[in-house]
Amino acid sequence: MTQHVQLQQFMSYECGSQSLKPKLEDPDLPVCVEQTVLVWIPLGFLWLCAPWHLIHTPVSSLQLVVSLLLLTAIAALAVTLGEDYGPDNDAPSTSKHPAVNYVNPVLYAVSWILLLLCQEGVRRRQGAVDSATLFLFWFLLILCDIFPFQTLLREALGKGTISDVARFSLFYISFGLEVIALVLSAVPDIPPEAVELVKKNPEAGAPFLSRITFNWFNSMVMKGYKLPLVQEDMWELSEADSTAHINQCFQHFMQPELAAARRRLQNKMRKNPDKNRDKAQDVAFQNGLSSGLGKGVSQDVLMMVSEQLMVSFTQDKSRHTWEGYLYAVLLFSVAILQSLFLQQYFQRCFVLGMKVRTAIMAAVYKKALLVSNDTRKESTVGETVNLMSADAQRFNDVTNFIHLLWSCPLQIILSIAFLWLELGPSVLAGLAVMVLMVPVNGLLATKARKIQIENMKYKDKRLKIINEILNGIKILKLYAWEPSFQTQVESIRGQELKVMKTFAYLTSVSTFIFSCAPALVSLATFAVFVGVSSENVLTAEKAFTSISLFNILRFPLAMLPMLIAAIVQTTVSRKRLEKFLGGDDLENDLVQHDPSFSMFTISIHSCNSVISLFVDSFAFHLCVSCVCFPGRLVAVVGAVGSGKSSLISALLGEMHSSKGLINIQGSLAFVPQQAWIQNATLRDNILFGSLHEERRLQEVIQACALAPDLELLAAGDLTEIGEKGINLSGGQKQRVSLARAVYSQADIYLLDDPLSAVDSHVGKHLFDKVIGPNGLLRYKTRILVTHSVSFLPYVDEIVVLKDGVVSEVGTYKSLQTSRGAFSEVLNLYAGEQNNRSHSESDTTEIELIPEREDTQPDSPLEDTISVTLKRESSLRRSQRNGSVRLRKNSSLRKAKDDGESKKGQRLIEKETMETGRVKFSVYLQYLRAMGWGYSVMVFVVYFIQNIAFIGQNLWLSDWTNDAVDFQNMTYPTSKRDTRVGVFGALGVAQGLFVFLGTLLLANASVDASRIMHSELLNNILRVPMLFFDTTPIGRVVNRFAKDIFTIDEAIPQSFRSWIMCLLGVLGTLFVICLATPFFTIIIIPLALIYYFVQRFYIATSRQLRRLDSVSRSPIYSHFGETVSGLSVIRAYNHQERFLKHNEITIDENLKNVYPWIVSNRWLAIRLEFLGNLVVFFAALFAVVSRNSLNSGLVGLSISYALNVTQTLNWLVRMTSELETNIVAVERVSEYTKLENEAKWITDTRLPKNWPEEGRLQFEDYKVRYRPGLDLVLHGITCDIGSTEKIGIVGRTGAGKSSLTNSLFRIVEAAEGRILLDNIDISTIGLHDLRNNLTIIPQDPVLFSGTLRMNLDPFDKFTDEDLWRVLELSHLKDYVAGLQEKLEHEVTEGGENLSVGQRQLLCLARALLRKSRILILDEATAAVDLETDNLIQNTISKEFSHCTVLTIAHRLHSIMDNSRIMVLDAGKIVEFDTPSNLLEKKGHFYAMAKDAGITRENVTTL
């Protein structure tokens, strides 16, 4: 009471106790409250928030306004003082003004000064454009001032005069100024230095109001609506969202975690599951996400209260109408607040999810650069890419909803508390039902998880095979093996679909339980409530409040199990990530850089420096001790498998050293055995991150013999090279790889047999100009692994390896005389050495690629020897008259035409991206795949379910009216039982129909998945080779991985949700119109607005989604490329540059992901606003027509209206999700409609045993790779008799490979024809043709699977046959020594066999096929000299009855052939026996001379 008295004194006469009670018929706040509380609230808010701005401590318009307000405050104080103590104040001092009239102006004045300081603080703050707190202050101030505003007005109007003119006018002046200030504070104040930034990223310049309503996004939505968005339209990322920043934070938290985990590991020596358990959390807290927490707490409770008020208001007809309006407004404002909070919360969660995904992708990439070779062998490239795609995405999804873990239980507790207040203990019955549901769900979740893991296993397996098929597609086509692989994939897919079906059935059971849950819960509760005592009558308030509360309960109860399941899935991913990220890194201390050894550049110490390398359980020891002096050229020689490549790997630090040390002084450059080429321009491949110096570049290009090749390329050195160097021949790749090393100007060059893949004269040129004693590198230290005996006389020192041990070291002369192992090898080939005319320092080439023990998982390179070269740029062949030798000093023709340089010809097409709306036919296509019967049934079943739902609620509203009818009578038991019974029956019916619908949909969608996948696979295997040469593999894999995954899992989900949402919205509107017919008027404008918002949103969102998937491919491509070129990247020490590139690629992707997240929020805010309007109008009409309504229906319509916001939201979300997901169907069907090659098998049946003779005739045969390009073969005519042996020679790009390609019809004839035993090959089926030809390709391609599968995928042959061919191909001992013999598993790409062994396996394949025509594509490039002899003998013996065509890089191998065909620029220039050709002294003679072959050799041969 004392406080009241004090307040009265403070306020003086204005605050009588009477004035504190509001007048009911004409409501208003008492003046006393208006002058104290309403003034103090906003000012208090400002004072609380001021310190935050003062920490940061041009005259803007806002400051001017505030200064004016300061003047009004002083004026108000002056007026009061003047009235109290002025000269004309004669009255006695009793009637002085109350204290409040002094306090308020002083408070205002102080606040305005404080405000000026705050604004200055905001301006000083880095990057701030406005302040949320100041905006809220102005908003609060005006809100509070509205009450005195209308009080003063009404009073003046009521009395007709103004009692206190001075204060009246001061109040309205300051009110006007405040409104201006509010408007100004909502406008961003962008500092001049930030203008550019804001153009690139509007969010940076968005003021508070625009940030909470996402208005800054409008420009993007408008742009997206007018035109389909493209990558260039995307805004820059803010610093905090960029990959570099996120990764830095992540590593900061991750490193200590990992270190701790490693320590734990060492302590226990067993895997500890919680390695970096808090990974996601770390990133979360570091991103200040805790700020998202508070926003997640739901205001549903407030909604509840206001709804109850509404219902009781309509029941009690004596209440004043203004109360109803007040409730409606309250309901509306609470709803809007809730929307704003919720959207901010979601925005923060989703951005966090995006950051977690980015952090994981960056971490996986970084790890891949550092990982040791053992760890790398544990997972294939495919699996690692999976970590970046699937597992990172899982983390992303879980993080989006991580906060539900605590907010769900909170919502459950609150709802139960309110229910208890409503219905008392009978709530427990409903609760019991809910609790019983939990273990059932738990059971289903664990089961589902098992299935999920199994599903992932099949997915990985299927993708692995598909990856291999695509990598080795050329071989599959040449051997006609597609059907075998197709059945393999189909069988795995079959198992995968079986698992999917089980999963879908499980889901439908849990859906059934879930959809029954609310009905059962409310049934149990109401039944108990009504049954406990006859006093308990269900009123409308009770029933609808409870139902709303039960509906609120539905969400957390539905989300929790889903969340738990998602978290469970993520733990699987977490383990996989941990295993990868926790793997060992490369040992850095293996190679030392100790300058005290200054004398030697490289030294390897102690003969027992055992560098052991484990290849598939065979320990391979390398025992080396040697020293290299600066500026020397050291050759390393030895048989296949003697450890040459391993020595190089050891120098690069890629091996484990068990003892001893390696010391290297200076920088390294490395040329691997199989060239690694990036998907970039040719120039970028050579520069490899160094600065571009034109003179040096030209010098290198000349030296590496690339000049003639560049003349053939349309854009010179700016030509784009495809993935894995697909449009370069093997020799060109090797030369580019060498050029890269030369350009890098390192101190030490490790050359792992760079001369094996090039023709002999080119090899000689490279040795002279680059590697040899007079080459560009003459002052550098060079270690050259080689098989070419001819170069050895020119090297400074030779190291001979045998079984991993250095057997001899010395100069050529000393080794020749020492009679060791080396001299034996030399004597074997002495013949060739002796008749070398010393006048020419020409070199014979006996080159072999040494066995490849190096650890590079290069996917087998396609043997498109320049096939693809002629592809994009129809090339003009420069005729070299007569000579095929390199033209000396031919300066590089600049690829510049009249001042405009041609941009690099694009080989890889930009990925096509559909734009605009998804065509309706795509939906129909999906429905057709599901089956029409299924589709219709599903819709009908869901429709019936919805009717049951509405029926149940109408029944309830009717039930609540009983409370009015039986007001003071006992409630009849029979009536009670009917009520409860019907209510329950309708509930269960709903559940059953949902169950049925889900089951039908599950079956239908599995059918659809099966059909779509097999169509895709079927077509991809029948697409011509050309497609694979111009399409990156990643892009095709993406169809099989991401898009098929979407069709399998996402589409059925979103299809179901969409149907349910659509029906739900229609049902809701129906019920509201039923209750308040007025409402129909509002529906039409709302529907229109809704439609427009949705169209705007969908156009933008869909395109963003598409951009997202297109910009994802480069991330994975770049990753795959990096992994395959790891040893090169590490050797040059370019890890940092690649990390940077990866960050840029991921950023490009984030630029699409971030706007997509924002677009969802943009939509949600707008839709929720619409939904809130629906609620508002439903309430308003209930107030307007309250006399004609029964309270049951009002309750029903309002509780439905409250639900409509969410359902509307979901409907648009689902429509757009369905549309974005259906894009997958569109993308898959794009690949099912690709043009096919000719039929595999035609009706033309062939004679038995065709071809019997093996006679080949080319008749004026012309070929081009694509319509519109130049011819590659210009009218070839020749006749090759039965069992002839033909050698085919010619410079790179002369058309040697095109010839074999046309024999196999990899490319079809433009004109002319090829006859095989007098049958035109273009008239028969491809498989009929290819099964009867045999090729031993240049690059040996193996598939993962058993050795038997690699030899005989169709299981046609017996074991005896297989062992016989293994014996003939000299592999019998090796295979017999394996544990599993023929069942020995070959790893991806044949990694666990050396290159030589792979080549022998290809020979075994050829022997097995026994066809009459054999094509050898220089198959001997990968084995040592002895094996080479064996192979040649086998071929000449076993294939004596066949026609053999050999594409030779080395003339020696074909000197004994019956005839030799010399090709140049696609024409046959010479075709005769070797001796005749040498006499003619034409093309062939020139080549032979280059290779040191003279007539005498031929006769000796």
Side-chain angles (χ1 to χ4, degrees), residues 661-785:
L661 82 153
I662 299 174
N663 194 64
I664 293 184
Q665 275 295 111
S667 57
L668 285 176
F670 169 52
V671 180
Q673 196 175 328
Q674 286 191 336
W676 173 71
I677 304 290
Q678 279 184 282
N679 182 357
T681 62
L682 199 126
R683 175 186 293 172
D684 291 340
N685 264 299
I686 296 177
L687 299 181
F688 203 58
S690 315
L691 291 172
H692 175 214
E693 289 175 37
E694 190 57 36
R695 219 188 83 252
R696 184 163 122 212
L697 183 65
Q698 293 310 337
E699 196 178 20
V700 170
I701 286 177
Q702 286 300 335
C704 293
L706 282 167
D709 302 296
L710 288 183
E711 289 185 15
L712 298 180
L713 295 172
D717 62 354
L718 291 178
T719 307
E720 187 203 9
I721 309 294
E723 227 180 332
K724 301 204 206 110
I726 185 155
N727 50 336
L728 297 179
S729 69
Q732 288 168 324
K733 284 189 241 182
Q734 201 61 62
R735 297 202 295 278
V736 171
S737 178
L738 183 64
R740 174 191 301 155
V742 179
Y743 190 86
S744 71
Q745 295 188 321
D747 305 324
I748 300 167
Y749 287 80
L750 304 178
L751 310 171
D752 194 351
D753 204 0
L755 303 177
S756 58
V758 294
D759 298 355
S760 50
H761 52 284
V762 181
K764 173 175 169 292
H765 173 95
L766 292 179
F767 190 79
D768 292 346
K769 292 278 181 284
V770 182
I771 303 167
N774 307 320
L776 279 178
L777 304 179
R778 52 185 175 276
Y779 303 121
K780 313 277 191 186
T781 308
R782 292 142 295 166
I783 294 188
L784 170 69
V785 171

Side-chain angles (χ1 to χ4, degrees), residues 570-828:
T570 314
T571 45
V572 179
S573 294
R574 199 202 68 202
K575 288 202 182 100
R576 288 168 53 151
L577 274 169
E578 263 172 23
K579 185 177 159 208
F580 182 75
L581 294 176
D584 299 328
D585 287 355
L586 209 57
E587 302 169 23
N588 293 335
D589 48 359
L590 181 60
V591 178
Q592 297 174 2
H593 304 279
D594 183 351
S596 61
F597 293 89
S598 56
M599 189 43 208
F600 320 117
T601 336
I602 300 185
S603 53
I604 303 179
H605 273 289
S606 78
C607 174
N608 44 12
S609 151
V610 181
I611 298 164
S612 57
L613 155 76
F614 293 97
V615 182
D616 215 50
S617 76
F618 298 118
F620 172 86
H621 291 291
L622 190 59
C623 207
V624 193
S625 215
C626 64
V627 172
C628 303
F629 295 91
R632 303 283 296 273
L633 168 54
V634 180
V636 179
V637 294
V640 168
S642 59
K644 302 179 298 294
S645 295
S646 306
L647 175 64
I648 299 283
S649 288
L651 292 175
L652 291 173
E654 302 257 331
M655 297 271 192
H656 282 300
S657 154
S658 31
K659 43 178 179 296
L661 82 153
I662 299 174
N663 194 64
I664 293 184
Q665 275 295 111
S667 57
L668 285 176
F670 169 52
V671 180
Q673 196 175 328
Q674 286 191 336
W676 173 71
I677 304 290
Q678 279 184 282
N679 182 357
T681 62
L682 199 126
R683 175 186 293 172
D684 291 340
N685 264 299
I686 296 177
L687 299 181
F688 203 58
S690 315
L691 291 172
H692 175 214
E693 289 175 37
E694 190 57 36
R695 219 188 83 252
R696 184 163 122 212
L697 183 65
Q698 293 310 337
E699 196 178 20
V700 170
I701 286 177
Q702 286 300 335
C704 293
L706 282 167
D709 302 296
L710 288 183
E711 289 185 15
L712 298 180
L713 295 172
D717 62 354
L718 291 178
T719 307
E720 187 203 9
I721 309 294
E723 227 180 332
K724 301 204 206 110
I726 185 155
N727 50 336
L728 297 179
S729 69
Q732 288 168 324
K733 284 189 241 182
Q734 201 61 62
R735 297 202 295 278
V736 171
S737 178
L738 183 64
R740 174 191 301 155
V742 179
Y743 190 86
S744 71
Q745 295 188 321
D747 305 324
I748 300 167
Y749 287 80
L750 304 178
L751 310 171
D752 194 351
D753 204 0
L755 303 177
S756 58
V758 294
D759 298 355
S760 50
H761 52 284
V762 181
K764 173 175 169 292
H765 173 95
L766 292 179
F767 190 79
D768 292 346
K769 292 278 181 284
V770 182
I771 303 167
N774 307 320
L776 279 178
L777 304 179
R778 52 185 175 276
Y779 303 121
K780 313 277 191 186
T781 308
R782 292 142 295 166
I783 294 188
L784 170 69
V785 171
T786 184
H787 283 223
S788 300
V789 182
S790 48
F791 298 141
L792 297 180
Y794 308 105
V795 305
D796 301 320
E797 194 166 18
I798 296 172
V799 176
V800 184
L801 288 179
K802 191 172 178 188
D803 302 329
V805 181
V806 175
S807 68
E808 304 172 86
V809 181
T811 58
Y812 183 73
K813 290 277 182 296
S814 63
L815 290 180
Q816 225 173 353
T817 49
S818 71
R819 295 269 160 256
F822 179 67
S823 52
E824 291 168 27
V825 176
L826 282 183
N827 294 340
L828 191 61

Side-chain angles (χ1 to χ4, degrees), residues 293-314:
L293 299 187
K295 308 194 172 174
V297 180
S298 162
Q299 275 108 343
D300 290 324
V301 178
L302 291 168
M303 303 289 271
M304 291 323 322
V305 177
S306 34
E307 184 190 343
Q308 260 181 296
L309 293 172
M310 280 305 309
V311 176
S312 60
F313 168 75
T314 43

Side-chain angles (χ1 to χ4, degrees), residues 273 277 279 391 394-395 398 449 453 563-579:
R277 55 184 187 285
K279 279 205 298 231
D391 296 326
R394 284 248 164 89
F395 266 99
V398 161
R449 172 185 168 206
I453 292 177
L563 188 65
I564 290 165
I567 287 179
V568 161
Q569 277 190 356
T570 314
T571 45
V572 179
S573 294
R574 199 202 68 202
K575 288 202 182 100
R576 288 168 53 151
L577 274 169
E578 263 172 23
K579 185 177 159 208

Side-chain angles (χ1 to χ4, degrees), residues 929-1120:
M930 280 176 34
W932 289 115
Y934 271 140
S935 310
V936 174
M937 276 158 65
V938 167
F939 194 84
V940 170
V941 166
Y942 277 130
F943 188 68
I944 299 176
Q945 179 261 328
N946 211 41
I947 292 176
F949 180 61
I950 294 176
Q952 187 187 22
N953 283 323
L954 287 175
W955 181 258
L956 184 72
S957 91
D958 194 40
W959 184 359
T960 56
N961 292 336
D962 290 354
V964 187
D965 304 346
F966 296 91
Q967 216 153 11
N968 300 319
M969 298 143 57
T970 43
Y971 197 57
T973 339
S974 58
K975 180 128 193 184
R976 184 187 73 198
D977 294 347
T978 353
R979 288 295 191 196
V980 175
V982 174
F983 185 75
L986 284 169
V988 175
Q990 275 180 66
L992 281 173
F993 282 118
V994 168
F995 179 56
L996 199 63
T998 323
L999 270 189
L1000 289 170
L1001 198 62
N1003 277 328
S1005 55
V1006 167
D1007 282 357
S1009 290
R1010 175 178 295 117
I1011 291 168
M1012 305 220 85
H1013 182 269
S1014 57
E1015 277 180 3
L1016 174 64
L1017 179 67
N1018 209 2
N1019 204 50
I1020 283 292
L1021 289 176
R1022 286 175 169 75
V1023 168
M1025 198 53 215
L1026 183 74
F1027 168 79
F1028 296 101
D1029 293 341
T1030 50
T1031 312
I1033 287 178
R1035 200 177 289 172
V1036 187
V1037 171
N1038 214 348
R1039 295 287 194 283
F1040 279 102
K1042 187 96 169 32
D1043 295 328
I1044 287 288
F1045 175 78
T1046 310
I1047 291 175
D1048 286 352
E1049 308 201 357
I1051 293 183
Q1053 262 320 123
S1054 43
F1055 189 63
R1056 193 182 94 211
S1057 314
W1058 181 76
I1059 288 186
M1060 294 179 84
C1061 283
L1062 179 68
L1063 294 172
V1065 169
L1066 295 176
T1068 305
L1069 294 176
F1070 172 72
V1071 171
I1072 297 181
C1073 293
L1074 198 73
T1076 42
F1078 265 146
F1079 193 77
T1080 27
I1081 313 166
I1082 300 289
I1083 281 188
I1084 295 152
L1086 280 183
L1088 277 174
I1089 300 176
Y1090 176 79
Y1091 176 77
F1092 281 117
V1093 168
Q1094 178 197 352
R1095 285 269 38 106
F1096 267 107
Y1097 162 75
I1098 284 188
T1100 308
S1101 160
R1102 177 184 347 104
Q1103 209 55 13
L1104 285 170
R1105 257 331 248 287
R1106 285 174 173 158
L1107 282 171
D1108 171 34
S1109 32
V1110 171
S1111 64
R1112 249 174 222 211
S1113 300
I1115 301 181
Y1116 306 142
S1117 293
H1118 177 242
F1119 181 70

